[in-house]
Amino acid sequence: QTCALPILTGLFNQRYLEVILDRELSLAKRNDVQFSVLFLDMDHFKQVNDRHGHLIGSRLLYEVGQEIKRTLRESDITFRYGGDEFLIILAHTCLDDAVVVAERIRQQVEKKRFLAREGLDIRLTASIGVASVPEHACTKQEILRAADEALYGVKRALRNKVIAATVKAKE
């Protein structure tokens, strides 16, 4: 079983996400513990590519990924989900704590001057959706959908915010 670390960001890819989500769901059920998922999207990233080109955009994604990782615990796992989207799994983390972590990441991204070593001063903001097991989901598809819906709640609102998913209806 291989887990490719993409050269572009140095983060795990979607294939490995499936493996980790299976593991976390199994641990959550077996040990009655929580975990949370953060879905992060860089606001207006297309403008960076349009203004500076895709090579700078790629270097910027790497730096964003490294900034996210610096903000997290070693046990947290960060994935490049696609384009300018990242997904973070926070093991043994309840919703309230996950929102705090997401807000810390959002603030770090907002204050960082990206690619400063290259003579650039690129400023970014991030929108983040947060969902937790078992509050919002019990399956991979449900947890990803809940975090994604929360993220798009941010995108429809103001951007550069953190929003938690709404609690799933009891069956």
Side-chain angles (χ1 to χ4, degrees), residues 29-171:
K29 288 175 188 169
R30 185 173 52 241
N31 301 325
D32 195 29
V33 294
Q34 298 172 305
F35 75 92
S36 295
V37 171
L38 310 181
F39 225 133
L40 184 147
D41 184 77
M42 303 312 300
D43 298 327
H44 308 292
F45 193 82
K46 183 183 180 316
Q47 293 174 0
V48 172
N49 283 335
D50 291 347
R51 182 168 183 211
H52 299 284
H54 287 86
L55 195 55
I56 292 295
S58 293
R59 289 168 52 202
L60 183 56
L61 286 174
Y62 174 82
E63 199 166 308
V64 168
Q66 297 311 300
E67 189 66 26
I68 291 169
K69 284 175 60 173
R70 269 193 293 281
T71 310
L72 299 171
R73 303 170 297 186
E74 195 171 309
S75 60
D76 300 325
I77 305 172
T78 307
F79 303 84
R80 174 143 181 247
Y81 197 76
D84 58 347
E85 292 181 327
F86 299 87
L87 190 136
I88 302 154
I89 296 178
L90 306 173
H92 302 284
T93 305
C94 68
L95 179 63
D96 290 342
D97 292 343
V99 168
V100 170
V101 171
E103 181 59 27
R104 188 171 61 231
I105 292 168
R106 189 199 64 73
Q107 290 175 5
Q108 281 298 112
V109 168
E110 183 178 43
K111 75 179 189 180
K112 173 90 173 153
R113 294 175 176 207
F114 289 97
L115 298 177
R117 289 183 181 155
E118 286 83 357
L120 298 171
D121 182 12
I122 297 175
R123 301 296 185 109
L124 296 171
T125 59
S127 296
I128 306 173
V130 183
S132 297
V133 168
E135 284 113 313
H136 304 110
C138 294
T139 68
K140 287 189 289 194
Q141 294 78 19
E142 287 174 349
I143 192 65
L144 292 175
R145 185 179 322 113
D148 191 45
E149 286 174 4
L151 169 63
Y152 279 93
V154 177
K155 301 295 259 183
R156 282 189 299 273
L158 300 171
R159 299 181 191 254
N160 193 28
K161 297 281 183 221
V162 172
I163 292 183
T166 57
V167 178
K168 68 178 182 168
K170 300 291 181 199
E171 296 164 6

